[in-house]
Amino acid sequence: MARVVVDVMLKPEILDPQGQAVQRALPRLGFAGISDVRQGKRFELEVEGPVDDAALARIREMAETFLANTVIEDFDVKVES
Amino acid sequence: MARVVVDVMLKPEILDPQGQAVQRALPRLGFAGISDVRQGKRFELEVEGPVDDAALARIREMAETFLANTVIEDFDVKVES
Amino acid sequence: MSLDTVKHAAGTPESAQPWKELGLKEDEYARIREILGRRPTGAELAMYSVMWSEHCSYKSSKVHLKQFGEKAPQTDALLVGIGENAGVVDVGQGYAVTFKIESHNHPSYIEPYQGAATGVGGIVRDILAMGARPVAVMDPLRFGAADHPDTKRVLPGVVAGVGGYGNCLGLPNIGGEVVFDPCYQGNPLVNALCVGVMKHEDIHLAQASGTGNKVILYGARTGGDGIGGVSVLASETFDSTGPSRRPAVQVGDPFQEKLLIECTLEIFREQLVAGIQDLGGAGLSCATSELASAGSGGMRVELDTVPLRDATLSPEEILMSESQERMCAIVEPGKVDRFLEICEKWDVIATVIGEVTEGSRLEIFWHGEQIVDVPPRSVAHEGPTYHRPYARPDWQDTLQADDAGRLARPANAEELRAQVLALVGSPNQASKSWVTDQYDRFVQGNTVLAQPEDSGVVRIDADTNLGVALATDGNGRYAKLDPYTGAQLALAEAYRNVAATGAKPLAVSDCLNFGSPEDPAVMWQFAEATRGLADGCLALGTPVTGGNVSLYNQTGDQAIHPTPVVAVLGVIDDVNRRTPMAFSEQGQLILLLGDTREEFGGSAWSQVVHDHLGGLPPAVDLEREKLLAEILISGSRDGMIDAAHDLSDGGLIQAVTESCLRGGNGARLVVPDGLDAFTFLFSESAGRAIVAVPRSEELRFTDMCGARGLPVSRIGVIDGDAVEVQGEFAIPLAELGAAHEATIPGLLV
Amino acid sequence: MTARIGVVTFPGTLDDRDTQRAISIAGAEAVPLWHRDKDLKQVDAVVLPGGFSYGDYLRAGAISRFSPVMGAIVEQANGGMPVLGICNGFQVLCEAHLLPGAMLRNTGLHFVCRDQKLRVETSATAWTADYAAGEEISIPLKNIDGRYTADERTLDELESEGRVVFRYQELNPNGSLRDIAGISNAAGNVVGLMPHPEHAVEPLIGTGRTDGLAFFTSVIKKLVTA
Ligand SMILES: Nc1ncnc2c1ncn2[C@@H]1O[C@H](COP(=O)(O)OP(=O)(O)O)[C@@H](O)[C@H]1O
Ligand SMILES: [Mg+2]
């Protein structure tokens, strides 16, 4: 069985309150040198059968229509090695 | 500026209702062949300065004490190519 | 791209400008040139276009809205009327209450969660800007058909957004509506109400006065999201999002808003502001022009000092950005340091971006170069006014002639019983707890009544027990049959709901949701509804204190039902005497107040059983509504009634079912003389309520009704664990409860 | 002597003023504490109230846990000072490792607001002495991240040491393991729970019951007789 990972991140121009809150907290915790933090979602999908082009195309469609809200989010599909 | 990614996933033994909800919805949306879905978080950190071993060690510490709660979550730190 | 300065604009009169893409009409663009005596700069064009949009300028609606002022009833209760961020009402003991309802319909269709969330955020800032602490929210919602697949997308997202934002702010949600109708498919209505409390002396206004006073922008950084949101809000189509590549969707940050609230209240407490305005639609364009327009002088703003989230934003985009969670304050120079200190305490970014000037112009600079030089009134208050043509549509007569009284009625007791179960389990009549259980109704520790009660009641003074009550109502089906009467029915129902809990109705806010104003039939509906509401408010003595208009709620040439949503605010001097809806004592008598007639036009019964909409809505008698309210309030004050529930859609059986289920007790009902069981159970005649009265109080109560001329009949007794209509049928509470509770969760799995 | 009970406000805390009111109603003095405070103003006990501190961003309680005031609270809690964490406060206590385990998204994935029945499993804590062990109470519950989780060993330890303080009755609203609604530390001075006792202290308000008042009277009695 193969694992496909779908990363979903807010588009760069969209406000990311969570990432901002994390970033603002870092210096207080003693972690300097991080100039920006964005927080997104990671989906790990266990795929039955071969992860061929057809399967990847289906997963991409799934990401586009369901896992991500493309009004505000971008996504990225990767096969886990 | 370099980007470091921290992936945070619930430990395998912990119930992930969000992932399950996604998985349950897939067949209804016409996507078959996904046997499991887990949902986690992805942090993209923009690091000032070089991402050397020292920097990575600091980020790993940050993930361990802050970005993840290791009672329930595992994490993984990667330098984005 | 080079900067389009005022000087440059004056020297290049022929430059082509994207006024059309920005939603301006040719004559509007010509008028801007006339006002300025030259072509506008890009920044000025951006400002005018957003401020003269339907959403900000009310250009189609204002000729009709005028009636709310012209016909305003005489009342001492109104401290601040229409025109400010929200109206303010005197509720006694030195307290003032401000409340307002607003729409976020189109954004919630595009992105349900964020659309609804930022809708709540926006109305809360309006209330905060008046000087008040927000104390509760409500959310009247309307969706397409309950079983339509898109409803499964929109409804859970909207509910999660309303809850996600409101819960995180710590504002109890004390009521609202959930209505389904195919007419809202593609045009869901997400209205949000906020109510706030302050002392009289704390009222703040949006005005920039005092030469030399500083203009401080505080709250979130300005980003590229929401640019073009104004055009989306009010434009004909969703794809005309302005010239920008920026997304029209705004993302809310309720945590930032919570900090903004606490920070602002602390600033008010130390009396550090001379004027204040929230940033909502049209962002800085709106805040600067409105503050300057309402003030005595001019204003100068250094736009490049605005803290940005995205350094690539152009000055036009900064002016138009609708980034959430921002406020703008006018502060005397001597108080600026303390102001900034309080902001720092709350981790809120605050920046002096300009000052109030001697002159009369709004001047905006970008790195030292002037990009805006306008008379602020021309932007904020002197936008175009349309007298749009309107005409009663020719189908209206046919619709009204299609009388619901001719529909087949249940033939026997068994059918009657089945129709009762179908009604109380229909999506519109079913329990909304799947929705409302996602809202925090307890936070702040002052909630006396919340959903599913007739009105939400919050205590505003823990020592004196002073409280306020609020209800919102609207019935698009009634309004479709007759918009004038439909608006009055919405008003009457909300008024009755407030009185049913024992509070005295004082004032009104409204959200007018309609189709395209460019359709004369829709414009007629709008004209009729506003006329009905203004006349109704005059008759009831409850002034309209403010509200919101949402137009273009239509898909192609298919408009939504005209949907005026009316909120009524009431006051209760001692929340201990609030009247709940639950039938909680067996043996108490159930009395029906008011007249029941054969009125089924637009009724829930006609919809559920026959999928029919036709005829006339129930008749309105506002004098009767006043009398009923007086009786309900007296009953509460003198301790004569233990429960009350207003009658509205679904009629008597719906109300009895809700009161029985809430109290966990059954009822035995007897059909009164002169009525048949069907009419008794399903008629939607207005001006009615049921009350539960201890036997010892019956005579005193019915005597009071008799003396004042309110019809009252004893229709039954709280008893057993079934709802029984004598001689007809009995339905165990468990069966009624299952039918009532299962529907909404069943639709959304 | 009047007991002084501190109530911490983090950015995003919501129930601080209600908690202060509940403390006054119970007869003690409520002392506001700010998250940046480094000392506790000599209070005798502390309540971490509910809300969405730091928006619950990252994880509920994850950012607040690092506030200056938490340093002092951890130190004094380890020295025996009574500390109560309600809802978000409970989450902060877990993140700060004053209590074991962690809180996850409700299994139903929705925010849940309801009148919740609980069984008080033990009266041997600073905050439950005025209840009888086994007593059933009903108080409001409202959260989206309320699923209490810990590994089996920790759960067994909590059970065997009598540190499960509250259990959900009739319905488990969030999927908490073993129906756990609240727990204590080994010494019994630190207690955390998801439901909200401070919303159940006045007859007319909220659910109309006063089942939550004994939290506050319990600790006050203990402090006054100490
Ligand atoms: N979206 C909502 N948010 C909060 N409360 C709601 C919502 N929808 C319905 N309610 C509440 O449910 C109860 C029943 O609603 P409804 O039948 O519309 O009341 P009524 O007919 O008395 O106006 C009321 O207390 C109302 O405030
Ligand atoms: Mg009602």
Side-chain angles (χ1 to χ4, degrees):
Chain A
M1 197 131 51
R3 172 175 296 174
V4 174
V5 174
V6 181
D7 288 323
V8 176
M9 299 297 293
L10 284 170
K11 295 186 183 199
E13 63 273 22
I14 297 268
L15 173 70
D16 173 14
Q18 308 220 55
Q20 283 196 353
V22 170
Q23 197 218 332
R24 273 206 302 267
L26 290 177
R28 268 185 282 129
L29 308 186
F31 299 107
I34 308 289
S35 64
D36 191 25
V37 179
R38 308 270 305 164
Q39 178 174 339
K41 295 178 204 156
R42 172 185 168 91
F43 296 91
E44 296 182 352
L45 315 178
E46 303 300 329
V47 184
E48 291 162 352
V51 183
D52 49 19
D53 283 358
L56 274 178
R58 275 189 314 119
I59 291 174
R60 228 169 259 124
E61 193 198 329
M62 183 197 304
E64 167 125 30
T65 53
F66 181 55
L67 297 180
N69 175 352
T70 52
V71 177
I72 52 175
E73 293 168 327
D74 292 327
F75 66 89
D76 185 39
V77 176
K78 282 195 289 270
V79 185
E80 190 101 310
S81 41
Chain B
M1 198 130 53
R3 172 176 295 174
V4 174
V5 174
V6 180
D7 289 324
V8 176
M9 299 298 292
L10 284 174
K11 297 190 177 198
E13 66 271 22
I14 301 240
L15 176 70
D16 171 17
Q18 281 172 308
Q20 286 190 349
V22 170
Q23 200 216 330
R24 269 200 310 271
L26 291 178
R28 263 187 284 135
L29 302 174
F31 299 108
I34 307 290
S35 64
D36 191 26
V37 179
R38 308 272 302 164
Q39 178 175 337
K41 296 177 200 161
R42 173 185 166 92
F43 299 90
E44 295 183 353
L45 314 179
E46 304 298 329
V47 183
E48 292 161 352
V51 183
D52 48 19
D53 284 357
L56 275 178
R58 274 190 312 120
I59 290 173
R60 230 170 256 122
E61 191 199 332
M62 183 198 305
E64 167 123 30
T65 53
F66 182 53
L67 296 181
N69 177 346
T70 51
V71 174
I72 45 174
E73 294 166 326
D74 293 326
F75 65 90
D76 184 39
V77 176
K78 282 195 288 272
V79 184
E80 189 101 310
S81 43
Chain C
M1 214 184 75
S2 73
L3 193 65
D4 191 13
T5 61
V6 170
K7 205 189 280 165
H8 181 247
T12 52
E14 300 309 324
S15 283
Q17 294 194 281
W19 50 269
K20 204 168 182 176
E21 292 78 356
L22 285 163
L24 288 167
K25 301 277 187 279
E26 186 161 12
D27 57 326
E28 291 170 347
Y29 177 63
R31 216 179 117 213
I32 296 168
R33 294 189 70 126
E34 191 185 304
I35 290 167
L36 299 177
R38 58 174 162 78
R39 77 160 173 88
T41 65
E44 289 166 341
L45 189 65
M47 291 184 81
Y48 279 105
S49 71
V50 283
M51 291 301 292
W52 286 13
S53 70
E54 185 66 61
H55 177 69
C56 291
S57 74
Y58 292 87
K59 55 189 167 191
S60 302
S61 54
K62 65 184 163 196
V63 292
H64 300 284
L65 299 179
K66 270 204 327 245
Q67 297 170 83
F68 295 146
E70 291 162 359
K71 295 182 190 168
Q74 275 307 317
T75 166
D76 298 334
L78 196 60
L79 299 173
V80 175
I82 294 182
E84 281 292 331
N85 284 313
V88 182
V89 181
D90 178 8
V91 295
Q93 301 180 12
Y95 284 102
V97 167
T98 177
F99 72 120
K100 190 176 162 191
I101 181 165
E102 252 189 16
S103 67
H104 228 214
N105 301 339
H106 295 173
S108 301
Y109 178 65
I110 300 175
E111 214 308 286
Y113 185 99
Q114 294 298 344
T118 53
V120 173
I123 189 64
V124 168
R125 284 193 301 281
D126 266 323
I127 294 309
L128 179 63
M130 295 306 299
R133 173 178 278 282
V135 296
V137 294
M138 300 174 92
D139 61 329
L141 309 175
R142 280 160 183 78
F143 302 100
D147 54 1
H148 191 288
D150 201 44
T151 302
K152 281 200 186 53
R153 169 187 74 98
V154 177
L155 186 149
V158 164
V159 169
V162 169
Y165 205 98
N167 296 341
C168 189
L169 284 189
L171 292 178
N173 184 307
I174 59 167
E177 296 166 82
V178 179
V179 177
F180 301 94
D181 193 291
C183 77
Y184 303 113
Q185 203 70 60
N187 292 282
L189 303 185
V190 175
N191 295 175
L193 175 148
C194 182
V195 55
V197 176
M198 66 197 129
K199 288 290 195 169
H200 286 191
E201 60 273 19
D202 294 334
I203 296 174
H204 281 75
L205 299 179
Q207 50 181 246
S209 305
T211 304
N213 283 352
K214 300 297 179 193
V215 181
I216 300 182
L217 179 66
Y218 67 111
R221 291 173 183 277
T222 299
D225 52 343
I227 294 173
V230 165
S231 349
V232 176
L233 281 172
S235 74
E236 300 73 323
T237 55
F238 286 143
D239 44 30
S240 71
T241 50
S244 167
R245 65 211 174 279
R246 314 281 185 187
V249 173
Q250 313 144 41
V251 169
D253 180 355
F255 170 59
Q256 175 70 244
E257 179 118 328
K258 169 68 178 169
L259 299 185
L260 206 53
I261 293 173
E262 296 303 331
C263 170
T264 303
L265 290 173
E266 198 164 326
I267 284 163
F268 287 154
R269 226 174 294 137
E270 298 193 19
Q271 302 184 335
L272 299 178
V273 297
I276 188 159
Q277 171 74 301
D278 59 297
L279 273 74
L284 267 174
S285 295
C286 181
T288 53
S289 64
E290 285 191 354
L291 281 165
S293 174
S296 52
M299 185 186 288
R300 178 189 166 106
V301 172
E302 314 291 339
L303 199 61
D304 48 292
T305 57
V306 170
L308 299 181
R309 212 170 68 229
D310 172 356
T312 70
L313 290 184
S314 70
E316 291 84 354
E317 288 177 317
I318 296 169
L319 282 169
M320 290 173 83
S321 166
E322 291 185 2
S323 286
Q324 300 290 297
E325 293 98 20
R326 297 179 299 164
M327 303 277 287
C328 195
I330 307 297
V331 182
E332 288 169 24
K335 295 180 171 175
V336 168
D337 285 347
R338 181 61 191 142
F339 187 105
L340 298 179
E341 225 170 81
I342 293 175
C343 289
E344 195 281 330
K345 170 183 169 191
W346 288 99
D347 290 327
V348 168
I349 298 172
T351 314
V352 175
I353 62 163
E355 63 180 31
V356 178
T357 55
E358 193 106 297
S360 59
R361 313 280 291 185
L362 171 60
E363 300 176 86
I364 299 180
F365 293 80
W366 182 253
H367 296 290
E369 301 213 62
Q370 186 163 20
I371 55 170
V372 171
D373 179 11
V374 296
R377 277 201 74 76
S378 72
V379 179
H381 291 111
E382 289 162 357
T385 301
Y386 294 165
H387 293 263
R388 297 222 187 248
Y390 58 90
R392 188 175 200 266
D394 38 19
W395 46 259
Q396 198 75 37
D397 285 338
T398 327
L399 185 68
Q400 293 187 345
D402 180 16
D403 183 5
R406 288 201 300 265
L407 299 170
R409 300 186 180 187
N412 50 43
E414 205 177 316
E415 258 183 61
L416 189 63
R417 183 184 195 276
Q419 292 188 357
V420 166
L421 280 167
L423 183 95
V424 301
S426 67
N428 283 339
Q429 266 56 243
S431 163
K432 302 305 180 321
S433 58
W434 185 91
V435 171
T436 57
D437 285 356
Q438 298 186 45
Y439 302 152
D440 185 345
R441 57 185 177 275
F442 299 116
V443 65
Q444 293 199 3
N446 285 311
T447 306
V448 178
L449 293 178
Q451 57 271 14
E453 299 285 342
D454 282 338
S455 66
V457 176
V458 288
R459 178 176 68 180
I460 64 175
D461 187 312
D463 296 323
T464 68
N465 285 320
L466 181 68
V468 295
L470 272 155
T472 75
D473 280 294
N475 186 320
R477 284 166 55 83
Y478 291 166
K480 173 89 176 209
L481 297 178
D482 179 351
Y484 181 90
T485 306
Q488 294 199 338
L489 283 166
L491 168 67
E493 188 181 341
Y495 181 92
R496 202 184 311 135
N497 273 312
V498 165
T501 54
K504 178 178 160 39
L506 282 184
V508 165
S509 177
D510 65 303
C511 191
L512 304 172
N513 306 277
F514 287 76
S516 167
E518 293 161 38
D519 177 346
V522 169
M523 216 47 224
W524 174 80
Q525 293 172 331
F526 187 82
E528 283 294 286
T530 44
R531 191 169 68 83
L533 186 56
D535 289 348
C537 287
L538 182 57
L540 291 177
T542 50
V544 176
T545 62
N548 180 245
V549 176
S550 172
L551 300 175
Y552 295 106
N553 294 289
Q554 71 178 57
T555 308
D557 59 4
Q558 213 39 50
I560 60 164
H561 291 340
T563 312
V565 172
V566 179
V568 170
L569 171 84
V571 63
I572 180 164
D573 47 25
D574 180 358
V575 292
N576 284 300
R577 61 169 189 78
R578 92 279 177 262
T579 313
M581 68 186 267
F583 286 168
S584 47
E585 285 286 329
Q586 296 234 345
Q588 290 193 344
L589 302 172
I590 306 170
L591 308 182
L592 170 63
L593 312 180
D595 286 308
T596 304
R597 292 173 296 266
E598 294 207 24
E599 293 184 298
F600 300 103
S603 66
W605 174 80
S606 71
Q607 182 178 34
V608 172
V609 176
H610 294 284
D611 192 17
H612 175 269
L613 177 58
L616 288 173
V620 182
D621 176 350
L622 295 171
E623 283 310 312
R624 170 58 63 81
E625 296 287 355
K626 266 167 108 166
L627 177 59
L628 175 68
E630 282 167 22
I631 296 281
L632 289 167
I633 296 164
S634 300
S636 136
R637 180 172 305 120
D638 300 339
M640 288 183 269
I641 57 181
D642 273 15
H645 197 11
D646 87 297
L647 267 54
S648 57
D649 49 331
L652 178 110
I653 191 60
Q654 173 73 14
V656 168
T657 298
E658 290 171 350
S659 290
C660 283
L661 289 174
R662 186 118 171 110
N665 287 303
R668 246 181 319 115
L669 302 179
V670 181
V671 181
D673 289 345
L675 279 180
D676 62 284
F678 167 76
T679 305
F680 172 59
L681 296 179
F682 290 125
S683 163
E684 296 189 3
S685 294
R688 297 185 303 159
I690 47 173
V691 293
V693 180
R695 285 175 192 269
S696 58
E697 298 292 339
E698 182 187 17
L699 204 59
R700 190 155 75 107
F701 185 76
T702 52
D703 277 356
M704 174 177 74
C705 293
R708 305 243 205 132
L710 182 71
V712 54
S713 46
R714 190 211 269 210
I715 58 161
V717 59
I718 301 174
D719 186 43
D721 54 7
V723 171
E724 181 188 346
V725 181
Q726 251 174 31
E728 300 287 342
F729 62 81
I731 308 176
L733 275 191
E735 190 180 351
L736 266 181
H740 193 55
E741 289 295 337
T743 309
I744 305 287
L747 286 165
L748 296 167
V749 288
Chain D
M1 143 200 179
T2 315
R4 288 163 45 84
I5 304 180
V7 178
V8 179
T9 301
F10 301 102
T13 293
L14 305 179
D15 300 321
D16 44 353
R17 284 173 304 137
D18 322 16
T19 305
Q20 289 167 19
R21 191 189 299 131
I23 289 168
S24 320
I25 289 172
E29 184 192 345
V31 181
L33 296 174
W34 181 236
H35 70 117
R36 288 184 190 169
D37 289 345
K38 290 200 180 74
D39 86 295
L40 299 184
K41 302 186 181 164
Q42 287 156 341
V43 295
D44 308 304
V46 167
V47 182
L48 304 180
F52 287 80
S53 62
Y54 290 98
D56 273 5
Y57 297 147
L58 187 57
R59 290 180 311 278
I63 300 180
S64 318
R65 167 230 165 161
F66 291 100
S67 298
V69 75
M70 283 308 296
I73 288 174
V74 170
E75 192 184 306
Q76 298 208 30
N78 287 332
M81 180 184 71
V83 175
L84 175 66
I86 303 169
C87 196
N88 198 234
F90 184 17
Q91 293 158 340
V92 174
L93 291 177
C94 289
E95 285 281 341
H97 308 303
L98 275 176
L99 292 173
M103 230 64 70
L104 286 162
R105 182 63 34 115
N106 297 345
T107 39
L109 301 177
H110 293 303
F111 188 94
V112 176
C113 177
R114 65 193 310 271
D115 191 5
Q116 178 69 44
K117 205 167 263 179
L118 303 176
R119 190 170 60 231
V120 183
E121 298 282 12
T122 169
S123 54
T125 80
W127 300 90
T128 54
D130 274 0
Y131 293 103
E135 187 175 341
E136 287 200 348
I137 62 174
S138 224
I139 60 180
L141 169 121
K142 28 173 235 184
N143 63 63
I144 188 165
D145 292 311
R147 174 163 52 115
Y148 180 73
T149 310
D151 58 34
E152 287 295 312
R153 211 180 38 116
T154 307
L155 292 170
D156 289 342
E157 199 174 288
L158 287 173
E159 303 263 14
S160 67
E161 293 175 6
R163 291 164 56 192
V164 173
V165 186
F166 304 98
R167 240 187 268 268
Y168 296 117
Q169 295 296 291
E170 287 175 11
L171 179 145
N172 180 334
N174 44 31
S176 282
L177 296 179
R178 303 195 192 179
D179 297 333
I180 289 174
I183 56 172
S184 75
N185 65 349
N189 62 312
V190 179
V191 169
L193 82 166
M194 287 313 292
H196 289 259
E198 84 284 12
H199 286 327
V201 295
E202 293 181 90
L204 204 71
I205 300 296
T207 59
R209 259 188 309 274
T210 55
D211 293 9
L213 198 57
F215 276 79
F216 305 99
T217 55
S218 296
V219 78
I220 291 168
K221 260 186 222 159
K222 181 185 162 78
L223 294 171
V224 174
T225 56

